[in-house]
Amino acid sequence: MQQLKDNFERKFEYLRLSITDECNFKCNYCLPDGYKRSHQGEFLSHQEINHLVNAFSELGTKKVRITGGEPSLRKDFPDIIKSVASVPGIQKVATTTNGFRLQKDAQQWFDAGLDAINVSIDSLDARTFHLITGKNIFQKVMDGVSACVDAGYKQVKINSVLMKGLNDKDLDLYIDWIKTRPIQLRFIELMQTGDNAEFFDKHHLSGLWIKEKLLAEGWTQKVPLSHDGPAQIFTHDEFQGEVGLIMPYSKDFCKSCNRLRVSSTGKLHLCLFGEQGVDLRDLLVDASQKEALKHRIILALNDKKESHYLQSGNTGATPHLASIGG
């Protein structure tokens, strides 16, 4: 089997596949004014997705995360899950969701072949949740998380974008919450994009203080698997849950990069903060194009840079986090 490697000997076994860039939330760090549907009707079809994932699988991809926008806004989302899960070589199928449909659909997605799920919950305080997301449905989302645990997912993770003055005070509340719950909390540093410079300057907070707090309180850092994401994971003997930290501004963050991204309109992005992307869509029409598709993907990796250069203030061409799947 061919392996996807770049010029820095990084191996890529993880694909983040966006199937829509629409979202029904208005999170203040991502889409504070909601989404203008500029790509409606242009998203990758079920068949195109199947051709794409088959090619990536033959290039060594083991894990696919289906993202958005909000992926559950697509009516064929369960069919897409089933299709991706059935591709030989794909060992794990995950998704990231805002939780709007979880309470109703968690079991259906699990039955379709979804192994793991990340739910974005940026505060455990209902009022702060409403302030951040623009949606007053905190309890509905929390009930959806419980539905995921009941459905039997291998992994249930909670994503929280860490923001100074908004949810940083919730840390102890979050950690107490996972004492008796087999859930992984993931605190993600706020990242600067093309449209949030003022918000970033006001609310960015390093996750290093959380790491120092965890280590001081007896938490232990785990060794990651080859197709895990960039989170540093911490466990504690007295807690059923885990804590993950994603700190893109930390030293050597890009050294362990193992993921590639494909947007909802079929562009390969070598980095969340990369440039315009490499168009793959013309090679997704028919299964007979698979070798040419694989060749274009391999060739594109020659242009992958050593770092995202966020620490230098470079945000690339990313207008907002929903545009290529976060």
Side-chain angles (χ1 to χ4, degrees):
M1 179 185 289
Q2 292 173 284
Q3 289 287 321
L4 287 173
K5 277 189 178 182
D6 68 5
N7 296 326
F8 305 97
E9 292 301 308
R10 294 176 296 197
K11 216 163 58 163
F12 299 90
E13 299 180 339
Y14 178 7
L15 172 65
R16 291 182 63 103
L17 172 61
S18 177
I19 59 172
T20 178
D21 56 9
E22 296 177 4
C23 186
N24 54 341
F25 278 29
K26 297 181 179 180
C27 295
N28 52 19
Y29 57 86
C30 184
L31 293 172
D33 300 319
Y35 183 68
K36 300 178 179 66
R37 301 184 175 189
S38 59
H39 294 309
Q40 191 175 25
E42 299 175 11
F43 302 130
L44 291 174
S45 69
H46 188 175
Q47 184 182 53
E48 287 174 317
I49 290 168
N50 186 259
H51 294 328
L52 179 79
V53 175
N54 269 278
F56 268 95
S57 176
E58 291 188 10
L59 291 171
T61 296
K62 297 177 182 177
K63 174 181 175 181
V64 177
R65 177 173 297 278
I66 305 169
T67 69
E70 172 48 42
S72 67
L73 290 180
R74 280 192 56 157
K75 293 178 181 178
D76 58 351
F77 183 44
D79 295 326
I80 291 172
I81 294 169
K82 187 173 182 179
S83 178
V84 172
S86 68
V87 173
I90 301 300
Q91 299 174 9
K92 185 174 181 179
V93 183
T95 196
T96 299
T97 175
N98 61 28
F100 186 80
R101 299 185 62 91
L102 264 187
Q103 189 178 10
K104 175 177 176 288
D105 292 341
Q107 186 67 55
Q108 180 189 16
W109 300 348
F110 178 79
D111 293 342
L114 197 66
D115 300 304
I117 195 159
N118 288 24
V119 189
S120 297
I121 302 179
D122 292 306
S123 177
L124 289 183
D125 177 82
R127 287 172 297 180
T128 306
F129 178 92
H130 187 191
L131 175 68
I132 293 172
T133 65
K135 292 286 185 179
N136 190 17
I137 57 167
F138 173 74
Q139 194 55 52
K140 177 181 177 180
V141 174
M142 294 299 284
D143 290 343
V145 173
S146 297
C148 290
V149 174
D150 293 341
Y153 283 92
K154 292 177 184 176
Q155 284 185 320
V156 179
K157 299 178 182 178
I158 301 301
N159 288 352
S160 178
V161 176
L162 190 61
M163 291 175 282
K164 181 170 59 180
L166 287 174
N167 63 2
D168 50 326
K169 64 184 183 298
D170 288 354
L171 180 60
D172 288 333
L173 190 63
Y174 272 115
I175 292 177
D176 287 344
W177 184 64
I178 62 167
K179 192 166 185 102
T180 57
R181 293 175 175 86
I183 288 171
Q184 185 186 109
L185 293 175
R186 292 154 56 90
F187 297 105
I188 306 167
E189 283 185 358
L190 180 66
M191 290 172 275
Q192 185 175 353
T193 55
D195 66 350
N196 75 349
E198 184 178 346
F199 187 88
F200 175 84
D201 289 341
K202 183 177 180 181
H203 295 291
H204 178 259
L205 185 64
S206 170
L208 286 175
W209 69 277
I210 300 179
K211 181 175 181 176
E212 292 169 0
K213 174 182 170 67
L214 293 173
L215 293 174
E217 294 177 357
W219 291 75
T220 304
Q221 188 169 347
K222 288 174 64 174
V223 177
L225 300 174
S226 64
H227 57 275
D228 282 344
Q232 298 180 35
I233 308 299
F234 300 83
T235 62
H236 196 294
D237 290 342
E238 297 177 6
F239 288 75
Q240 287 191 34
E242 300 176 331
V243 178
L245 299 177
I246 299 178
M247 299 181 288
Y249 292 88
S250 62
K251 186 176 181 295
D252 295 330
F253 178 79
C254 297
K255 194 173 183 179
S256 61
C257 182
N258 64 350
R259 62 182 59 189
L260 296 172
R261 292 172 168 82
V262 174
S263 74
S264 58
T265 55
K267 288 191 175 182
L268 172 66
H269 292 269
L270 305 177
C271 177
L272 175 59
F273 293 91
E275 297 306 320
Q276 300 298 333
V278 177
D279 197 0
L280 303 178
R281 199 158 195 177
D282 60 307
L283 298 178
L284 298 176
V285 178
D286 189 84
S288 64
Q289 299 173 292
K290 184 163 56 177
E291 291 305 314
L293 174 60
K294 287 160 61 177
H295 179 70
R296 186 176 294 176
I297 295 167
I298 291 168
L299 210 59
L301 271 176
N302 289 327
D303 294 326
K304 185 164 175 63
K305 295 179 173 61
E306 187 175 14
S307 170
H308 51 38
Y309 304 114
L310 282 177
Q311 62 274 20
S312 303
N314 175 34
T315 64
T318 304
H320 47 70
L321 293 172
S323 61
I324 59 171

